[in-house]
Each structure stands twice: as structure tokens, then as C-alpha cells.
Amino acid sequence: MTMATTQKSTGRPGRRIDLQVIGPILALIALLLIGMALNSNFLSYANITNVLARSAFIGIIAVGMTFVITAGGLDLSVGSMAAFVAGLMILVMNLLTESMGVTLPVILIGIAVALLAGLVAGVINGILITRVGIEAFIVTLGTMGIYRSLITWLADGGTLSLGFEMRELYRPVYYGGIAGVSWPIIAFVVVAVLGEIVMRHTAFGRHCAAIGSNEKVARYSSISVLKVRLATYVLLGLLVGFAVVMYVPRLGSASASTGLLWELEAIAAVIIGGTLLKGGFGRVWGTVVGVLILSLIGNILNLTDFVSPYLNGAIQGAVIILAVVLQRKGATER
Amino acid sequence: MADPILSLNGVSKSFGPIEVLHGVDFELRPGEIHALIGENGAGKSTTMKILGGYIDASDGDIRWQGAPVTFGSSDEAEARGIVMIHQEFNLAEHLGVDQNVFLGREIKRGWRLDHKAMRARTAELLAQLECPVDPSARVSGLSVPAKQMVEIAKALSRDLRVLIMDEPTAVLTERDCEILFRQIDRLRAQGVAILYTSHKLSEVKRICDRVTVLRDGAMVRSAPVSEITEDEMAAAMVGRELSDLYPAKAVPQDEVMLEVEGLSVPGLIETASLTLRRGEVLGIGGLVGAGRTELAEAIAGLRPRGGRVRLMGETLPAGQVKTAMERGLVYLTEDRKSAGLLLDKGLRENLTLPLLDRFGTVLIDRKAEEAALDKAIADFAIRAPERDMPVGNLSGGNQQKLLLAKTLLSDPQVILIDEPTRGIDIGTKQQIYTLISGLAAAGHAIIVISSEMPELIGLASRVLVMHAGRIVGGLEGDDVNEGAIVRLAMGLEETSEEAAA
Amino acid sequence: MTKTLIATTALVGALVGPMSGMALAETIGVSIPAATHGWAGALNFHAERTIERLKEVYPEHEFVLATTPDSATQVSDLEDMVATRGIDALVVLPFESEPLTGPIQRIADSGTWVTVVDRGLAVEGIETLYVAGDNDSFGRTAGQYFADTLDEGAKVVAMRGIPSTVDNERVEGFEAALDGSGIEVLAMDHGNWNRDTAFTLMQDWLSRFPEIDAVWAADDDMAVGALAAIEQAGRTGEMIVVGGAGMKEMVDRIRSGDSTVPVDVTYPPSMISTAIEMTVVGVTGAAPMSGEFIIASELITPENADDFYFEDSPY
């Protein structure tokens, strides 16, 4: 009962919830229909696979971002962090190839390095935010710049590339799969399903929502607010590492422009999906829908000559706003 | 008698399928203070919000000076001079007092804000209210009573015809109440129509002209105050005769449950010591700001502290809420809206929040949660239209019961309860008093912090009084009376250290 | 181009002896974009290496290098250079033409030597020296190659960079070369000089068009992305990919006779070395160095690829 709202109550709380649930799904369905109408290849196996697989990186990161935002935080560093972790992973693998040859253990160590680097990066963000007590926006804005510079420095301003033979060995992790479903898609689905379960059915998920909703209440309810907050950033870091494991085999390279604006896409996907930017409520399945909406817009624009390429950004922006308007309509009428 | 300026005729209100007001008639006349009383959930808030233009009526009509009227929003109502002062203040915390008083109606000179004029006018209004607050001070730094005064100053700054006050004295000290009553009298003399709600029936009796009692959304009685006694008001609210409000006191046993020695919180509490026994209800009195809440929070691990706390013989580490809870000590906050409950979440999420690890190992066992909620609803007589509604939409009394259920969920042995009945109706109060003494009789040890003297006297077998961060005295048995508590609370005298220990 | 570069280096070398003893100490400021993509990275690489080298040759001169992420920062960098370092000469690669024209003009008006690199200013005649690659020639060379080698009615797609003057000039050159050749441009869109964007864009084009004979990517980074998408779709034999700028990996592919990547077009980042060297010579008054110095794009073919392969360059 916030008294600040002077608007009239329609007295029907049920409607709000419905629209929140249906909003993003409606937007997704609308996009699918538009895509089908504009290009017959839209629903082809190859195109659907492409769209889902390319959604996987941002999707996996966005699942982690959902937890951070639900707990009232924010992480702007994920795009740069991904680039840095990718660069580090490539450097380590190239180095090991010299001594160990083009072998599976090199890939496994590379994967371990990526996951560990993501984890450490998450811990650094989390510690600075929870223990040192700096605003999440400032901390991650800072680390965003730091990682972006580090990758530029590691790559000497150019591109870090995996050795050709190693790339061939590692390649199937992005391009391969089982039963016609490629690995990135499988990874994305697994992360999303686990994320949804953790968010809705575990104490951790509930604690995230409680902290985002009212940190003081959470503290008075004997929840270790700092630990849970820290855990959200660590989880996100780990998922960034995991996304990189899927990303590196795609082009086998990392440069200063890797992961550019991923943080904003991930945050946009989370918000489109119905998670509140101020925290307190999050849903992972919504984030997945949000990621797909963003990917589909790009895909449809590439498949058609519908609008001038100069206006791609405008279309994306409009769809993002529309998707959020759809679900918030009920809420503002409350 | 003057004609009604604002009235409700057969007004009903439904939220979804649930009708919460059934054909209420209510009149406000210029120069009259009309009390609206009832238990929490009786429909007072809804009635006030309809009058203030915050919500629509589902049926019936609202009349302004005899003619039917509809308010599109609270702004339209305010334009006619109808102002509502909310229980939760409607102030911009980061702005100054003067900026708040003139928020949205700033005085301008040309296109620029006339800060000087606004500050001067604010100072005038505050002086009228005998409120010593600097007009340029930030609202976030003000005490609760001072914020209330700012709200009133804000109302006074308008062309006021109807003033709706939702439990204005719930957060005020006695002295501030007196100032408020004088202001209300002054407004009445100026011909303002005033709607006044309070759970303190003595206040109603004292300052109001007419009283209307709501029960379960219907009007059950409306009479001039002179024709109705406090007991009759209470009976009309509850729908039955109230037997003695306070149950018999439990007798403390010998076993010491909690020992606090030389506890200090820098700047707030100096070396406080106390002992609490099994089966005892220990009251802590004192003025707002004396350090009572801080003491309880420090014991419960919510604040860093010095000194030693022993719970059932074992030392309790400082600053660890969870450990305290696991060892059997919990604290129930006075501030249920900002520290007690997640207002945007449902009943279930709130109930189990502190104890989620006991509901399932990895995944939360939702069935167990629902069962716990069923039990809480039954045990604490919580009335909620829907189980998954945001608890912010529950009445104050039901929120408090839910908070009690949540706090007691871990089955604690030592319970610190801060303002157990703030802002709740007399029927619920009685339920809570019965619950507290029942807990004590069952062998729990309880500390009750309260600003209401009768509550301390009626519940506690022993009372400690705090003043300026120190425990200045203890009262026991027949010595527990209002005069003695007030003298200690004002810092006028101190009893021996033994009494305090 | 390479020849010119060698020539100027030789020139500098020849002048070192007599100059070093008597020259006044000059401060030379160098302001270039930060290494946010491969080409800019190589630019930084060459700038740093050249300054190192010149410092040894001219110990009495001071060099100030500033890299900048955007136009606004570049303007403040320039102000700092003038105010706190008192530069006598400025070598600048403007982030954008319009916003930097004013600030650079003020510096030039104060008598400072100004060398503008690659991106021309909005007003002509400000700079003392202009050293640039030829964007029109960059696009035209690729387009001409298509016109020469592809059949009439062949279908091509074109990947542009980030919307900018540079990009427009390249595309105009490309389109002009194709004009009248009977080659059809199926689609043209921005790949933003980014591998990932190019990969995605190429994937979608492959879904959309059953027949593509050639891909023009206005930068080698984008060509790498496009090649990966083509490989994934299993359509490697169907089309050729022509990039630009002379990235190491691409030159290597040409050298080894890759049929998908038959040629590449140069746009040498080492032009910054040329610019700095010419400025040093010019500012010390050793030789007249004003005017324009345009480095045309060349076609890298399997025959000449060895000349364009720099083992230790990051690009």
C-alpha cells in the first residue's frame, strides 16, 4: 500500500499478474509470426539452430544476471569479463599446446582456467560490493574498464587466436551436438532449467528475492545478506566463464571488441523477461524469453530488407520498450 | 448543527470478489471532530481512502456539500481542500522540510522558486505547531514525531476544509500528543471538518465530538461521544463484551535464561545489564530514543556491541543474528513495515523466510511451507482474504500476527518483543497479550519493550526503565506504576543498581 | 606503399647525422584512437615502435603519445598536450572529422605543425601535412577484382563497417567499380568491423540466399567471422571472400593458396609511422614535407603475399 500512488485502484490485482506473465511471451510469439511471414527460411532447422546457439552466450550470462538483479544488484562488467576470460583461456591453451601438443587435456585445462577466471572475477566484484561497500554500479563500471583494457593489452590491441589445429579439435564444442541439437543450445537449456529451479525452489533464490525486496527485512530475518549478495556475483562470474567455454570454439579468437555491449543485452533480456530492475522479484524463464526476443529481432532484420540497416538499432529499442510496456501496463494501473 | 460538508451514503467497496465495505453512511461536518474507530480490517482505511479520493466506491455515493461528487484522484480531492495525513508518512526523505511542505505547490517568483518565502511560511507553521525543527533540515534526519508534525504543517499550508487523520498519535509521545490535540482544537474552531482515527479510546473520548464504529465493513454504531463510554466503544468494535484486557501474569521460575552484562553500543547504550528468567515477562520502558530498541537489537545480534550476553549459560557471540536464532533467541521488530515483513510478498514467503533451511534440504518443500502457514493462520487467527496476496495489503493487526508467527516459527526460548501492539486494534491487542502470557506460562522468557504504560504494567512482572542509553532503574510488583515509570524515563531519579541488574 | 615507407625511413636515417648535434629540442605529440579493434591495434603497435626508434635517433626530442576512446577525450587530450607539454608538432588521427576540426584548427593557428593522418578534417588547408590511406581505392580495388574475375550475373553480399565517412567512401568505391559489370549485390549491411557481428550476419545471409558467389567484407576481422559461418554451413566451395587491411592470418591464407580467400586489399596501419617520421623531418626543417601523402590500396595476391606478411605484427 504505497500511499505515494495517487492513481485510482481498479481493485483487480489478478489482472496485473496475468499481463506480467503473458507480456514477454506475447512479444516472442509476435516476433515468430513476423519472421514466418517475412521469410520462408525463418523456421528452417539451420536458422533456428543458429539463433538458439548464438543466444547461448548472452543467455547463460543473463541467467546469472537475473540472480544479481533480483538481489538488488547490477553487473556492468560481464561483457569485458567475457572478453578477458576468453583471451586468458586462449593464451593458456596456446602456451600449453607448445609443451603438451594438440591434446584433450589442454582443452580441459583451458576450460578449467576459464571457469576459475570467471569465478575469481565474480569474487572480486562481489567482495568490493559487499565487503568494501561500494555501489555495484561503480564497482562493475570500474572492472568493466579494467577487463576491457586487460584484453586489449593481452592481445596487443589485435586479436588473440587459438592455434589452428587446436581450434579444429575444440571446434565441435560449438558446432557439434547430439541428436541434431548443438552443444551451446544444450548448455543454455541446462543452465536455464537449473537457474529456474534454483530461483523458485531453493532457499538461495528466495533469499535473493527477499534481499532485493527489502534488505533490512532480510537482515532481520537472520539471512546473511552479504553472503547471498556475494554468491550472486560469484555465480554470475562462473556463468560468464561457462559462456566463454562455449564462445571460444566458435571463432577461436578474442579481441578488444569481443563481448562488446553484452552486459547491456543481458540486462535488457532480464528486464524484458519481467525481473524488476530494482530487485525483489526475478524469473529465469522470463530472462530466457527476453534473450530469444533480442536474438530474433537481429535475425529477422538480417533476413529481410524491411528497413534500412541504419534503423536496426531503432527497431531493437522499440521492441525492447514495447515488450516491457506490455507487461507493466497492469502494474501501473494498480 | 452545520450541514455535512462531505458524506458517504450507502457506500460499498469490493476488491475483486470480496466486499470489504457494506453500505456505510458517514458524515463530516465543519467544526466537528468525527472519530472513526474499529478493529484492524474493519474498513477504516478503505473508508478514509474513499473520502480522500484515493480509491473509488463500488456502490453508493459521495456527496460534497450535499451534491454527489466523484474524485478522479486524490489530487482532485485535495483541490477541494480535503487532505489526508497517512500513517506511513508521505514525505520525500531526501528533501528539506520546507521543500516537503510545498512539494508540488512551490511558491514562485517569476520562474524561480522563492525559497525565502517558503522557508518563512514553513517556519511560521512549525512555530504554530510548537515544533522546534529547522525548516531547512532534511526530513530523513528527523524523528518520527517530528515527521508527523511536518505532515501536519503540510496539511495546514493548504486551504483546509476536511482533514483526515489516520492514527496520528500512534507514533507520538504524550507531549507531542498534547500539541497535536491543541492544533486539532484550533482547526475545529476554524470550521475544519476532521476525521480522526485512533486505537486509543481515551483520546477519542477526550477530543472528539462524534464517534462512528465500524465492524467487518459495516457501521455498527454512531453516536455523540458524550453518549457513549469507552467500554461501550470497545464492545461495539469487538462485538462482544471485553473481559479483562490483560490475562493473569505468569510466575517467573528460578532458571536464568538470559544474562546481559555491561552491554554497550557506541553512542547509543552504555553498560546495560539485565537478567531474564524462565517464565518471566520483563518490561522495558522509556521514552522513544532512550535506546530500548538498540539494546534489544544488540542482544539479538543485529548490531555490533561490546559486553557479554549469555543465553542459557552459554556465551552468545556478538553480531550474529542467525546463531542467536539457532540457539533460541529471537527479536520481533517494532518496525514491521520496513524491517519485519516483505510487503510485496505473500504470506507463505514471509512466514518461512528466517527458517528456509528447515523446509527441505536442497529444494524448498512447498507442501511443508503451506502446512506451516495453515498452522500459523489457525494458531494466530490471521485473517487474510487470499493466501498469496502481498502482505502489505493486510491490515496492521494481521500483519503483526503474521510477524509474530514468523518470529516464533523457530520455537525460540527467549523472545524480545518490541512494541507488540503498535497501531493495532483492541481485539487483536487482547489476543497478543494472551499469547504473550501463554508463552511465558509455557516456560519461555520474554522481554516486552513498550511505550504504552498500561501495556507494561498489565503484562510485565518486572519493568526496567531506560533513559538516554542507560538502564536507570527497575520496578517490581506493586512498585510498577505509571508515575514511577515516567519519573525514571524522564531521568528524574534512579533506583539502585541491584534493581536494574 | 612499402617502397615509400622505406624511402622515408632512409631519408630520416640520412638526416640523423648532421641534424642531431644542432637541432633544437622539439616536443611532438601523437594522438590516435585506442586499440579497440585489430586495425587500430596495429596502428598503436606501429606508433609505439616508431616512437621508440625515433627516441633513439633523436634523444633531444620528446614524444607524447595519447590514445583515446572517443572524440571528446581526444579533444581534451589535445588541450592537455598544448597546455601542459607545449608541443611543437602534432600528429593526429582524428576520431571523427567534424568535432575535431575546430580544436585542431586552433592548434594549427597557434603556429604548431599539424600532421593529420587517415581521416581528413572538415575544413581544408588546416594541416601542414596530410598522410592517408585511400578509402575509395580500398573499396574500388575489391570491386574491381570482382568485376574482373566473376561472371556476369554473379551474386555478392557486402559487409560494411561502423557507419562513418570511412565506411561510406569505401562502399562508394566498391559500388563504382561494380557499376556496369552485371554483378548483383544481394544485400549490404553493417558488420561493425567485428568478428562476432560478421559471423551472425553471414549465418543469416546464408539462410536467406541459396546462391552467393562472393563476399566482400570491408575489413579482415569481418572476413574471419564470415569464413567461420560459411564453413559451419558447409558451403565453403561455393563462394570467395575478399576482406581488407592485410591482416596476418588472411595474408597467410592467400600465401598458402586458399581458394576461398584468393586476394586481399591493403590499408596499412603503418601509415602512422610514415606520418610521425615525416613530421619529425618536417619540423626540424631538414626537408620540405608539407602537402598530401596518399597511400593507395593494393591487391595482395598469392604472388606478392610474402611482401605483406609481417611475422611480429599483432595484426
Side-chain angles (χ1 to χ4, degrees):
Chain A
M1 272 193 279
T2 50
M3 297 294 183
T5 48
T6 52
Q7 288 296 311
K8 292 226 171 182
S9 164
T10 55
R12 269 175 296 167
R15 241 181 96 222
R16 176 176 70 103
I17 295 164
D18 285 349
L19 255 168
Q20 274 207 333
V21 173
I22 293 173
I25 295 179
L26 281 182
L28 184 64
I29 291 171
L31 277 174
L32 286 171
L33 292 176
I34 292 170
M36 279 159 63
L38 291 178
N39 194 303
S40 55
N41 282 333
F42 178 71
L43 281 185
S44 68
Y45 164 78
N47 191 52
I48 293 296
T49 299
N50 284 345
V51 171
L52 289 176
R54 76 174 69 137
S55 306
F57 317 131
I58 292 191
I60 290 170
I61 292 171
V63 169
M65 188 70 82
T66 309
F67 286 89
V68 169
I69 292 180
T70 300
L74 193 68
D75 193 337
L76 296 172
S77 70
V78 290
S80 314
M81 192 195 289
F84 170 67
V85 172
L88 196 67
M89 180 182 182
I90 290 170
L91 272 184
V92 169
M93 286 172 75
N94 282 348
L95 206 68
L96 289 176
T97 310
E98 287 172 18
S99 55
M100 297 167 68
V102 182
T103 53
L104 194 62
V106 175
I107 291 181
L108 294 178
I109 293 173
I111 289 174
V113 165
L115 294 177
L116 191 72
L119 187 98
V120 170
V123 169
I124 292 172
N125 275 344
I127 296 265
L128 286 172
I129 290 161
T130 60
R131 306 286 155 171
V132 188
I134 312 171
E135 292 277 341
F137 186 93
I138 296 301
V139 168
T140 58
L141 189 69
T143 48
M144 170 169 102
I146 292 171
Y147 294 130
R148 187 61 68 196
S149 291
L150 283 178
I151 175 65
T152 312
W153 175 70
L154 281 182
D156 259 344
T159 303
L160 283 169
S161 294
L162 210 50
F164 180 74
E165 288 169 356
M166 183 50 82
R167 203 183 310 176
E168 287 301 305
L169 186 68
Y170 193 12
R171 209 176 168 272
V173 174
Y174 182 81
Y175 296 98
I178 33 174
V181 185
S182 72
W183 287 118
I185 301 177
I186 295 169
F188 183 21
V189 169
V190 169
V191 167
V193 169
L194 286 179
E196 177 70 15
I197 291 173
V198 169
M199 181 64 90
R200 288 172 67 105
H201 298 286
T202 68
F204 175 68
R206 191 77 69 78
H207 287 171
C208 286
I211 291 169
S213 169
N214 186 331
E215 186 176 332
K216 196 171 174 192
V217 172
R219 201 164 64 83
Y220 276 64
S221 302
S222 73
I223 295 171
S224 313
V225 173
L226 296 185
K227 274 189 205 160
V228 174
R229 273 247 159 90
L230 177 63
T232 60
Y233 289 99
V234 175
L235 175 70
L236 177 55
L238 194 65
L239 286 174
V240 168
F242 188 56
V244 166
V245 168
M246 294 285 139
Y247 169 80
V248 168
R250 183 166 91 171
L251 293 171
S253 65
S255 71
S257 64
T258 296
L260 218 52
L261 297 185
W262 281 11
E263 60 280 344
L264 292 188
E265 283 198 43
I267 293 168
V270 171
I271 304 310
I272 291 172
T275 298
L276 298 178
L277 185 54
K278 67 179 170 62
F281 175 78
R283 54 180 184 211
V284 171
W285 70 260
T287 299
V288 172
V289 172
V291 170
L292 294 179
I293 287 175
L294 288 179
S295 289
L296 280 178
I297 299 169
N299 180 245
I300 291 170
L301 290 173
N302 284 343
L303 288 180
T304 56
D305 284 326
F306 210 54
V307 287
S308 154
Y310 294 125
L311 286 175
N312 281 5
I315 302 284
Q316 278 189 352
V319 175
I320 291 173
I321 294 171
L322 202 72
V324 176
V325 166
L326 264 179
Q327 53 163 308
R328 297 290 154 86
K329 218 164 174 269
T332 49
E333 277 172 12
R334 194 160 68 101
Chain B
M1 205 192 296
D3 286 333
I5 182 165
L6 183 63
S7 61
L8 300 179
N9 294 67
V11 162
S12 299
K13 175 68 190 174
S14 304
F15 289 106
I18 303 150
E19 192 175 271
V20 296
L21 276 191
H22 323 288
V24 168
D25 297 325
F26 189 79
E27 290 175 346
L28 287 168
R29 294 164 198 275
E32 188 182 76
I33 305 177
H34 194 156
L36 182 64
I37 61 173
E39 295 193 45
N40 286 316
K44 291 188 312 261
S45 295
T46 312
T47 308
M48 283 187 284
K49 284 187 199 162
I50 291 173
L51 287 167
Y54 287 85
I55 52 177
D56 276 333
S58 309
D59 205 7
D61 53 40
I62 307 164
R63 295 180 185 217
W64 175 254
Q65 294 175 330
V69 68
T70 40
F71 301 127
S73 68
S74 58
D75 293 340
E76 284 182 31
E78 276 186 25
R80 290 173 197 266
I82 304 171
V83 176
M84 179 165 174
I85 298 183
H86 302 282
Q87 210 178 337
E88 293 86 31
F89 304 129
N90 202 353
L91 296 172
E93 291 269 321
H94 296 291
L95 295 185
V97 171
D98 53 343
Q99 288 165 320
N100 264 289
V101 166
F102 287 97
L103 195 62
R105 303 171 302 113
E106 288 81 359
I107 301 175
K108 286 178 190 152
R109 214 168 42 198
W111 54 273
R112 291 182 310 130
L113 293 177
D114 190 346
H115 293 288
K116 224 171 160 185
M118 286 192 279
R119 200 155 289 179
R121 179 83 185 106
T122 306
E124 236 171 76
L125 291 167
L126 291 172
Q128 246 176 50
L129 292 169
E130 301 168 48
C131 177
V133 166
D134 177 2
S136 56
R138 259 200 203 194
V139 166
S140 57
L142 299 184
S143 66
V144 170
K147 286 182 187 173
Q148 165 102 47
M149 287 298 165
V150 174
E151 278 276 19
I152 294 169
K154 197 171 153 186
L156 289 178
S157 73
R158 304 165 205 246
D159 172 27
L160 191 60
R161 308 288 299 275
V162 174
L163 180 63
I164 301 169
M165 305 181 89
D166 188 1
E167 288 187 48
T169 56
V171 290
L172 295 187
T173 60
E174 303 245 329
R175 198 184 74 86
D176 292 322
C177 286
E178 291 304 324
I179 297 173
L180 177 69
F181 295 157
R182 279 207 293 282
Q183 288 307 317
I184 292 176
D185 272 341
R186 207 173 57 84
L187 292 170
R188 168 164 55 187
Q190 288 173 359
V192 175
I194 298 169
L195 188 162
Y196 185 93
T197 68
S198 176
H199 288 303
K200 297 174 188 163
L201 300 181
S202 55
E203 273 175 27
V204 171
K205 186 77 185 159
R206 199 180 125 194
I207 66 164
C208 299
D209 301 307
R210 190 171 188 81
V211 58
T212 293
V213 183
L214 287 180
R215 186 169 75 229
D216 294 332
M219 212 187 77
V220 291
R221 185 139 186 209
S222 186
V225 165
S226 52
E227 294 168 16
I228 183 168
T229 66
E230 283 180 46
D231 283 345
E232 284 168 334
M233 289 184 211
M237 280 164 62
V238 185
R240 60 187 151 84
E241 291 297 320
L242 275 178
S243 51
D244 195 4
L245 192 55
Y246 300 100
K249 292 175 186 176
V251 182
Q253 301 167 22
D254 289 338
E255 187 189 342
V256 172
M257 299 291 279
L258 179 71
E259 274 180 288
V260 175
E261 263 178 72
L263 183 145
S264 61
V265 176
L268 293 168
I269 296 172
E270 302 168 32
T271 58
S273 301
L274 62 85
T275 306
L276 180 67
R277 293 173 196 283
R278 188 178 282 283
E280 182 177 20
V281 178
L282 173 65
I284 298 184
L287 299 178
V288 172
R292 298 168 304 170
T293 295
E294 289 77 9
L295 173 63
E297 288 183 350
I299 294 172
L302 285 158
R303 277 177 189 277
R305 59 159 166 86
R308 207 155 63 112
V309 174
R310 285 162 67 85
L311 179 63
M312 291 178 275
E314 282 181 57
T315 303
L316 197 64
Q320 296 187 13
V321 207
K322 201 173 170 66
T323 311
M325 184 191 76
E326 283 164 357
R327 300 252 206 100
L329 180 143
V330 295
Y331 166 71
L332 187 140
T333 174
E334 59 166 344
D335 192 354
R336 64 174 169 261
K337 283 177 194 290
S338 71
L341 296 172
L342 297 172
L343 299 181
D344 56 344
K345 303 280 174 209
L347 277 70
R348 177 172 51 82
E349 286 95 330
N350 270 290
L351 178 69
T352 58
L353 192 60
L355 263 192
L356 274 178
D357 43 3
R358 282 200 208 160
F359 290 89
T361 45
V362 178
L363 300 186
I364 298 171
D365 183 348
R366 196 155 292 184
K367 274 192 191 137
E369 277 191 292
E370 293 289 356
L373 181 57
D374 283 337
K375 189 167 179 305
I377 288 175
D379 289 356
F380 293 84
I382 299 168
R383 277 190 297 171
E386 293 166 62
R387 292 166 72 105
D388 53 358
M389 68 188 280
V391 300
N393 294 347
L394 288 176
S395 68
N398 282 311
Q399 286 181 0
Q400 187 71 1
K401 289 188 217 169
L402 178 65
L403 182 57
L404 268 165
K406 169 189 167 181
T407 312
L408 298 178
L409 191 64
S410 62
D411 193 20
Q413 295 301 302
V414 176
I415 307 158
L416 317 180
I417 308 180
D418 201 350
E419 302 289 1
T421 62
R422 172 176 288 175
I424 60 179
D425 60 81
I426 193 138
T428 310
K429 265 186 186 175
Q430 194 185 21
Q431 290 176 342
I432 289 175
Y433 295 150
T434 310
L435 179 84
I436 290 174
S437 63
L439 285 168
H444 296 78
I446 297 164
I447 291 178
V448 171
I449 298 172
S450 179
S451 300
E452 289 186 40
M453 301 291 171
E455 197 164 276
L456 286 178
I457 297 162
L459 276 178
S461 52
R462 191 158 64 94
V463 173
L464 299 180
V465 181
M466 292 188 74
H467 173 74
R470 292 190 310 127
I471 295 177
V472 290
L475 302 165
E476 209 162 346
D478 293 340
D479 293 339
V480 182
N481 61 60
E482 266 188 57
I485 296 174
V486 167
R487 275 194 300 280
L488 287 168
M490 302 298 286
L492 298 178
E493 61 181 63
E494 290 192 21
T495 56
S496 65
E497 284 300 311
E498 283 93 275
Chain C
M1 196 304 296
T2 338
K3 289 190 191 77
T4 347
L5 178 64
I6 292 163
T8 43
T9 316
L11 181 65
V12 172
L15 290 164
V16 168
M19 291 300 302
S20 52
M22 50 189 258
L24 291 166
E26 307 277 3
T27 305
I28 294 145
V30 180
S31 172
I32 54 177
T36 48
H37 62 277
W39 191 83
L43 188 79
N44 278 263
F45 169 80
H46 287 291
E48 278 169 34
R49 226 170 49 157
T50 308
I51 288 173
E52 285 298 311
R53 194 155 40 81
L54 290 177
K55 270 184 185 163
E56 283 172 27
V57 182
Y58 298 98
E60 73 278 14
H61 291 341
E62 270 195 68
F63 293 88
V64 187
L65 175 66
T67 64
T68 174
D70 55 57
S71 307
T73 318
Q74 189 164 31
V75 172
S76 18
D77 281 351
L78 294 183
E79 284 164 1
D80 288 350
M81 280 187 188
V82 173
T84 61
R85 304 299 296 263
I87 51 167
D88 304 294
L90 172 69
V91 178
V92 58
L93 200 165
F95 209 90
E96 286 168 88
S97 303
E98 294 288 343
L100 281 147
T101 299
I104 294 176
Q105 180 156 34
R106 278 193 292 281
I107 294 172
D109 288 348
S110 71
T112 307
W113 175 291
V114 172
T115 301
V116 174
V117 186
D118 197 36
R119 257 160 253 180
L121 298 176
V123 178
E124 279 182 33
I126 294 173
E127 68 273 3
T128 325
L129 176 65
Y130 179 56
V131 178
D134 186 344
N135 285 304
D136 180 78
S137 150
F138 178 93
R140 196 178 291 271
T141 308
Q144 195 58 49
Y145 179 78
F146 283 172
D148 291 345
T149 53
L150 298 176
D151 301 330
E152 203 173 314
K155 294 177 167 55
V156 302
V157 289
M159 236 176 242
R160 317 177 55 159
I162 293 170
S164 58
T165 320
V166 172
D167 185 58
N168 288 342
E169 285 173 10
R170 290 177 177 185
V171 172
E172 277 161 24
F174 178 74
E175 284 175 330
L178 286 187
D179 203 29
S181 66
I183 293 170
E184 185 191 351
V185 179
L186 291 172
M188 192 178 272
D189 206 338
H190 296 278
N192 297 344
W193 291 320
N194 178 303
R195 284 186 190 199
D196 290 306
T197 316
F199 178 81
T200 309
L201 189 57
M202 194 66 215
Q203 274 190 332
D204 289 345
W205 276 342
L206 288 166
S207 296
R208 184 171 153 195
F209 304 114
E211 192 200 330
I212 301 172
D213 297 307
V215 180
W216 177 55
D219 178 79
D220 282 339
D221 266 321
M222 292 196 293
V224 169
L227 284 165
I230 294 166
E231 190 180 350
Q232 179 205 15
R235 290 169 68 175
T236 304
E238 291 178 29
M239 61 197 84
I240 59 168
V241 176
V242 174
M247 188 201 271
K248 214 161 65 171
E249 284 88 343
M250 295 294 281
V251 177
D252 194 38
R253 281 178 94 141
I254 297 168
R255 212 162 50 147
S256 54
D258 189 323
S259 61
T260 308
V261 187
V263 293
D264 201 22
V265 180
T266 62
Y267 196 80
S270 57
M271 69 174 70
I272 191 71
S273 308
T274 314
I276 297 173
E277 283 162 359
M278 291 174 76
T279 303
V280 170
V281 173
V283 81
T284 50
M289 276 297 165
S290 56
E292 287 197 352
F293 195 81
I294 305 297
I295 303 158
S297 288
E298 292 177 58
L299 199 64
I300 307 174
T301 60
E303 289 74 36
N304 66 5
D306 279 334
D307 299 340
F308 294 93
Y309 190 78
F310 303 108
E311 185 62 51
D312 57 349
S313 163
Y315 186 63

